Amino acid sequence: MSTSEHVNNNNIERFTGFANLYDRNRPSPPQEVIKILHTYLGGNPRNVVDIGCGTGLSSFLWMNESVNIIGVEPNDDMRKVAITNWERIDKPSNIHFTKGLSHQLALASESTDIITCSQSFHWMEPQSTLHECARVLRSGGIFAAYDCDWPPAFNWIVEEQYKKLINLAETRARQLADVEKHPHKWDKEKHLQQIEESGLFRFSKEIVFHNWELCDADRYANIALSQGGLQTALKNGATELYKEVEHFKNNVAEAFAKKTQNVLFSYRVRLGIK
C-alpha cells in the first residue's frame, strides 16, 4: 500500500464510531454559505457536490437551492447516518449520497456548478483534490472549502479548557497509535494558498463571517467530544481522559447555569472560481 493510500485510510478511519454524536451536536452550515456562493455564481446552482459530507449536515443545506446535490463521503459510519437522515425526510429525489474520494470523483467533466468541502478539506491531499474538482467544475464554477473555528466563542475559561482537553487528546492519540496509523491533517491556514498555487482558478478569496446559535451545556460539551482526536484517543485506550472529560463537562454545565445561551460560531470560506 502506498503512503497516500495509508493517509487516506487513516484519515477515513479517524471518523468511525461516533457518527451519531457528530450529527446531533455539530452545527449545520448557516444560510450565509448559500448567499455567498450564489453571489459569486451569479444565480442558483443546478448541480452541487459536497465532498467529505460526513452525516450530510452540509449537503442538506442545499436541498431547496439546487436541482441535484451529491454528498460524497468515504467513511461508512458517517454516510450511513446521512442516508438515515435522508430517509427520515422522505427521501428527497434531488439529493443522494455516495462513497468516494476527493481525488477520484465518479462525475463527468465540467458537470458541476459548485463543489463544497465543509470541515473536510484539511483531511484531503489538496493538490490532487483541487485538480479533480477543477476537472468536474464547469467554467465559472466554484470550489469552496469552509470551516468554523474551534472552540465556539462563549466563555474564555471554558474555551481554554476545551483547547487543553483537545490538545491532550491529540497527543495521547498519537502516542497510542502506531506511526503507520497516524492520520494526516493539512493546515487550514494554507487552504487559500493551496487554491492559488494550483493555478486552476481565475479568482480566489477568503471570506470570514459569524453565526449565532442557541446552545445548551450538553451540546457545547458534546461538540468537544465529537472532535476526532478525542474519539481516537478514547478508542485507542486513553481511559485517563474520561476524568478530564467529566471535569470539562462539569465546568461547561456551571458556565451555562442550566440555561440555553447564544454561542458564536466563526466561519472561514476559501473559494476559487474556475
Side-chain angles (χ1 to χ4, degrees), residues 187-249:
D187 187 355
K188 292 182 183 180
E189 298 300 320
K190 293 184 179 179
H191 283 355
L192 183 62
Q193 180 182 335
Q194 294 284 1
I195 293 169
E196 292 172 342
E197 291 182 352
S198 73
L200 298 166
F201 301 93
R202 69 180 83 179
F203 176 83
S204 58
K205 184 173 184 175
E206 178 172 351
I207 300 168
V208 179
F209 67 94
H210 307 283
N211 189 57
W212 289 98
E213 286 194 29
L214 288 173
C215 196
D216 61 14
D218 284 343
R219 184 187 176 208
Y220 193 96
N222 283 334
I223 288 172
L225 296 183
S226 73
Q227 300 289 329
L230 179 53
Q231 289 295 321
T232 299
L234 294 174
K235 283 189 290 187
N236 289 343
T239 55
E240 75 279 5
L241 289 178
Y242 285 112
K243 182 179 179 180
E244 300 295 332
V245 168
E246 285 305 308
H247 179 65
F248 173 70
K249 290 171 71 175

Side-chain angles (χ1 to χ4, degrees), residues 34 63 86 102 104 134 138 142 145 150-151 157 169-170 215-216 240:
I34 290 175
M63 194 167 60
W86 174 74
S102 62
Q104 295 174 339
R138 66 166 174 81
I142 301 173
W150 303 122
I157 296 174
E170 290 281 4
C215 196
D216 61 14
E240 75 279 5

Side-chain angles (χ1 to χ4, degrees), residues 4-273:
S4 62
E5 288 174 322
H6 270 302
V7 169
N8 283 335
N9 289 337
N10 294 346
N11 288 2
I12 293 167
E13 180 59 28
R14 179 181 173 95
F15 293 93
T16 295
F18 60 100
N20 285 310
L21 176 71
Y22 184 105
D23 188 61
R24 287 193 303 267
N25 297 287
R26 289 294 185 101
S28 296
Q31 289 293 311
E32 277 74 9
V33 171
I34 290 175
K35 293 176 184 177
I36 289 167
L37 299 186
H38 274 188
T39 298
Y40 280 94
L41 190 68
N44 289 353
R46 180 175 178 82
N47 298 311
V48 173
V49 177
D50 183 28
I51 305 176
C53 68
T55 64
L57 293 170
S58 50
S59 305
F60 291 115
L61 176 71
W62 294 94
M63 194 167 60
N64 298 318
E65 305 292 335
S66 181
V67 176
N68 300 300
I69 306 105
I70 300 173
V72 180
E73 174 52 52
N75 182 277
D76 293 337
D77 281 5
M78 290 282 181
R79 195 175 62 260
K80 181 179 178 181
V81 172
I83 293 171
T84 298
N85 290 336
W86 174 74
E87 293 171 341
R88 189 176 293 125
I89 58 173
D90 298 326
K91 303 179 181 180
S93 61
N94 68 330
I95 182 169
H96 73 275
F97 297 94
T98 186
K99 186 171 186 174
L101 297 171
S102 62
H103 62 289
Q104 295 174 339
L105 299 173
L107 298 167
S109 297
E110 301 184 1
S111 62
T112 302
D113 300 300
I114 292 175
I115 295 177
T116 59
C117 296
S118 173
Q119 316 281 2
S120 60
F121 187 50
H122 54 291
W123 295 113
M124 306 169 188
E125 197 292 310
Q127 289 304 315
S128 60
T129 295
L130 290 169
H131 275 79
E132 181 69 340
C133 290
R135 179 188 70 80
V136 171
L137 284 169
R138 66 166 174 81
S139 179
I142 301 173
F143 171 82
Y146 63 95
D147 304 273
C148 63
D149 294 344
W150 303 122
F154 168 64
N155 172 292
W156 74 268
I157 296 174
V158 167
E159 290 175 48
E160 189 65 20
Q161 292 167 342
Y162 184 120
K163 290 189 289 186
K164 287 180 179 179
L165 175 62
I166 297 305
N167 288 339
L168 175 60
E170 290 281 4
T171 298
R172 293 295 289 133
R174 296 190 74 81
Q175 290 172 343
L176 290 167
D178 295 334
V179 173
E180 62 269 20
K181 295 291 185 181
H182 287 177
H184 182 81
K185 185 190 300 186
W186 280 267
D187 187 355
K188 292 182 183 180
E189 298 300 320
K190 293 184 179 179
H191 283 355
L192 183 62
Q193 180 182 335
Q194 294 284 1
I195 293 169
E196 292 172 342
E197 291 182 352
S198 73
L200 298 166
F201 301 93
R202 69 180 83 179
F203 176 83
S204 58
K205 184 173 184 175
E206 178 172 351
I207 300 168
V208 179
F209 67 94
H210 307 283
N211 189 57
W212 289 98
E213 286 194 29
L214 288 173
C215 196
D216 61 14
D218 284 343
R219 184 187 176 208
Y220 193 96
N222 283 334
I223 288 172
L225 296 183
S226 73
Q227 300 289 329
L230 179 53
Q231 289 295 321
T232 299
L234 294 174
K235 283 189 290 187
N236 289 343
T239 55
E240 75 279 5
L241 289 178
Y242 285 112
K243 182 179 179 180
E244 300 295 332
V245 168
E246 285 305 308
H247 179 65
F248 173 70
K249 290 171 71 175
N250 289 337
N251 287 329
V252 172
E254 182 178 349
F256 274 84
K258 298 182 179 179
K259 298 176 183 178
T260 299
Q261 304 207 37
N262 273 312
V263 171
L264 185 68
F265 291 85
S266 299
Y267 285 84
R268 302 170 193 274
V269 182
R270 287 93 170 190
L271 61 82
I273 299 178

